[in-house]
């Protein structure tokens, strides 16, 4: 980093987005683009010197050596770009984002990172340009930065430019169209807006869905009082009840109320170990199983394989629902579009790695 001499230098906070329920509809005001579900990354390139920084300022380079190579091969010699690191995989003949393969890259063993970089290589998706050559673009309107971004991505095999539109109807349609490709929603940026590091000046609209799930267990809150999270399950076609994630973030009052609801269903003194977290190794993952007799309605935004991508929101108990009726069928999202339909014209449709 000491050898770099760019008009915009690290560290730098990326511009953020505030959540809204609907895509803003003022024509001529907004640019719309798909919301990528990967690792946010700021790319600083000055010749062979490349820095990859996460949203929180952490160095991503050691986890994605193939992205460093791609940046040197495919981006303008001197540039600062904002974007996302993703791992695409071919699933059933269509290419979609694979969060699980991406998250496995955060691993302490260099040998494993190197192996995964060859088996499931990551791509960089650019969606903003902060500097090109000797010019800072932070004070330029987005429409100008967008043109600079397209020029800065000189090859499109491993580095790409996301699609955009100024048509609010099309932007709204993308919210549903591209979910099957593993995307997370839609982002709206003001066409005349400058880049504001660390400020929530963009708009994000994420998928909002609900599901009825079986409560299969719970974790005690870290305070020791009440429920910290409810573990959720759905029935597979073979009749097995499979854990799909958890609902969390309850008020103190709700934690106690939910414990009173579930504690009578506890199965003896059984306490089970959960999956370790690669993000927080100190987190207590032990959980208490309960008889699968209660159904709850939850709100979620996205599935990743056969699990909820994020923690979901508990809405209410559903005493009218039979637990056996809580199956995966209610979550189906048709894979109508391929991941490469979400990019500017690209020749990278086959570049999804040998292991895909």
């Amino acid at each position: 980093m000491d050898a770099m001499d760019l008009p915009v230098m690290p560290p730098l906070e990326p511009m953020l987005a505030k959540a809204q329920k609907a895509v803003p509809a003022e024509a001529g005001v907004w640019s719309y683009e798909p919301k990528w579900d990967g690792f946010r990354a700021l790319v600083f390139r000055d010749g062979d010197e490349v820095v990859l920084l996460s949203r929180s300022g952490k160095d991503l380079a050691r986890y994605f050596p193939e992205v460093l190579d791609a940046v040197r091969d495919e981006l303008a010699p001197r540039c600062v770009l904002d974007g996302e690191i993703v791992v695409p995989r071919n699933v059933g003949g269509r290419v979609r984002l694979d969060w699980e393969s991406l998250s496995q890259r955060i691993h302490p063993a260099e040998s494993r990172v190197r192996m995964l970089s060859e088996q499931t290589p990551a791509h960089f998706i650019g969606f903003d340009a902060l500097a090109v050559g000797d010019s800072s673009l932070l004070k330029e309107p987005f429409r100008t930065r967008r043109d600079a971004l397209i020029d800065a991505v000189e090859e499109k095999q491993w580095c790409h430019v996301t699609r955009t539109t100024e048509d609010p109807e099309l932007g709204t349609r993308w919210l549903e169209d591209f979910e099957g490709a593993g995307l997370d929603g839609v982002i709206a940026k003001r066409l005349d807006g400058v880049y504001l590091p660390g400020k929530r000046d963009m708009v994000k609209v994420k998928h909002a869905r609900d599901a009825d799930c079986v409560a299969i267990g719970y974790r005690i809150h870290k305070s020791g009082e009440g429920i910290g999270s409810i573990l959720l399950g759905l029935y597979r076609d073979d009749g097995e009840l499979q854990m799909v994630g958890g609902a969390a973030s309850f008020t103190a009052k709700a934690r106690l109320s939910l414990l009173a609801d579930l504690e009578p269903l506890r199965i003896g003194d059984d306490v089970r170990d959960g999956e370790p977290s690669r993000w927080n190794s100190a987190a207590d993952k032990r959980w208490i199983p309960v008889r699968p007799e209660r159904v709850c309605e939850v709100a979620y935004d996205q599935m990743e394989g056969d699990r909820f991508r994020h923690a979901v929101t508990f809405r209410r108990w559903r005493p009218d629902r039979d637990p056996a009726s809580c199956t995966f069928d209610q979550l189906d999202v048709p894979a109508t579009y391929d991941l490469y339909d979400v990019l500017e014209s690209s020749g990278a449709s086959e570049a999804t790695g040998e292991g895909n």
Side-chain angles (χ1 to χ4, degrees):
M1 193 181 300
D2 293 340
M4 278 191 166
D5 184 20
L6 292 167
V8 176
M9 290 286 288
L12 182 75
E13 293 183 81
M15 186 162 67
L16 304 175
K18 55 189 174 185
Q20 287 188 184
K21 293 184 177 180
V23 175
E26 300 97 324
V29 175
W30 301 92
S31 173
Y32 309 93
E33 63 192 56
K35 184 179 184 298
W36 294 86
D37 188 24
F39 291 164
R40 185 78 176 270
L42 292 175
V43 174
F44 301 81
R45 183 190 180 191
D46 187 1
D48 287 337
E49 294 294 319
V50 177
V51 173
L52 299 179
L53 292 185
S54 73
R55 170 177 164 174
S56 61
K58 294 181 180 179
D59 181 13
L60 293 173
R62 72 173 302 274
Y63 304 115
F64 299 98
E66 77 278 26
V67 174
L68 291 180
D69 293 338
V71 166
R72 294 187 181 104
D73 290 342
E74 300 185 8
L75 298 189
R78 286 168 47 80
C79 63
V80 181
L81 305 185
D82 188 0
E84 205 98 354
I85 294 175
V86 301
V87 171
R89 300 197 71 182
N90 194 312
V91 180
R94 294 187 183 276
V95 180
R96 56 167 290 135
L97 298 185
D98 185 350
W99 171 261
E100 183 60 28
S101 293
L102 177 68
S103 59
Q104 287 177 4
R105 300 296 294 278
I106 308 302
H107 196 280
E110 183 179 353
S111 58
R112 179 169 175 79
V113 168
R114 183 66 62 176
M115 178 189 71
L116 291 175
S117 73
E118 297 173 357
Q119 293 181 349
T120 53
H123 295 229
F124 174 74
I125 313 294
F127 46 64
D128 212 331
L130 283 58
V132 174
D134 293 325
S135 300
S136 168
L137 302 176
L138 296 179
K139 302 299 183 183
E140 297 294 331
F142 176 67
R143 53 168 56 92
T144 300
R145 303 199 308 274
R146 169 75 182 178
D147 290 341
L149 171 67
I150 293 173
D151 291 342
V153 182
E154 298 176 347
E155 302 290 337
K156 296 181 175 65
Q157 186 73 7
W158 301 99
C159 297
H160 315 277
V161 176
T162 190
R163 284 177 65 179
T164 62
T165 181
E166 295 181 25
D167 180 355
E169 291 186 9
L170 181 57
T172 300
R173 196 159 69 242
W174 281 355
L175 184 65
E176 303 301 329
D177 284 353
F178 294 145
E179 184 178 5
L183 276 85
D184 203 20
V186 168
I187 293 286
K189 300 174 180 175
R190 294 184 182 276
L191 286 164
D192 61 356
V194 301
Y195 194 94
L196 299 172
K199 303 295 184 183
R200 294 191 179 275
D201 201 57
M202 304 183 294
V203 169
K204 61 181 177 183
V205 183
K206 301 180 70 172
H207 304 115
R209 304 186 183 280
D210 57 59
D212 292 328
C213 299
V214 183
I216 63 173
Y218 60 89
R219 292 190 178 99
I220 295 297
H221 189 261
K222 60 184 179 181
S223 68
E225 296 195 3
I227 281 181
S229 61
I230 300 174
L231 278 64
L232 306 170
L234 291 173
Y235 282 98
R236 303 194 311 241
D237 290 341
D238 62 6
E240 290 295 317
L241 185 57
Q242 178 176 319
M243 186 185 298
V244 293
S249 300
F250 306 115
T251 65
K253 181 179 179 181
R255 290 199 297 266
L256 295 175
S257 175
L258 291 169
L259 181 60
D261 292 334
L262 291 179
E263 194 169 31
L265 302 178
R266 180 170 178 168
I267 301 174
D269 296 324
D270 191 8
V271 178
R272 301 179 186 178
D273 291 328
E275 299 175 358
S277 170
R278 63 171 54 89
W279 308 107
N280 183 3
S281 59
D284 187 352
K285 293 297 178 179
R286 293 175 299 174
W287 60 283
I288 298 165
V290 300
R291 298 192 304 274
E293 298 176 5
R294 300 207 66 167
V295 173
C296 62
E297 178 185 306
V298 299
Y300 73 99
D301 56 15
Q302 190 176 9
M303 293 294 292
E304 173 60 34
D306 55 7
R307 294 179 67 91
F308 292 119
R309 168 72 172 78
H310 306 104
V312 302
T313 301
F314 178 93
R315 283 184 171 167
R316 56 178 176 158
W317 291 116
R318 290 293 305 268
D320 57 317
R321 287 296 302 267
D322 180 357
S325 70
C326 299
T327 66
F328 279 93
D329 293 346
Q330 63 186 306
L331 307 180
D332 286 344
V333 176
T336 307
Y337 288 83
D338 190 280
L339 179 67
Y340 292 102
D341 295 324
V342 197
L343 299 172
E344 289 290 324
S345 178
S346 169
S349 59
E350 301 302 321
T352 54
E354 296 178 0
N356 300 341

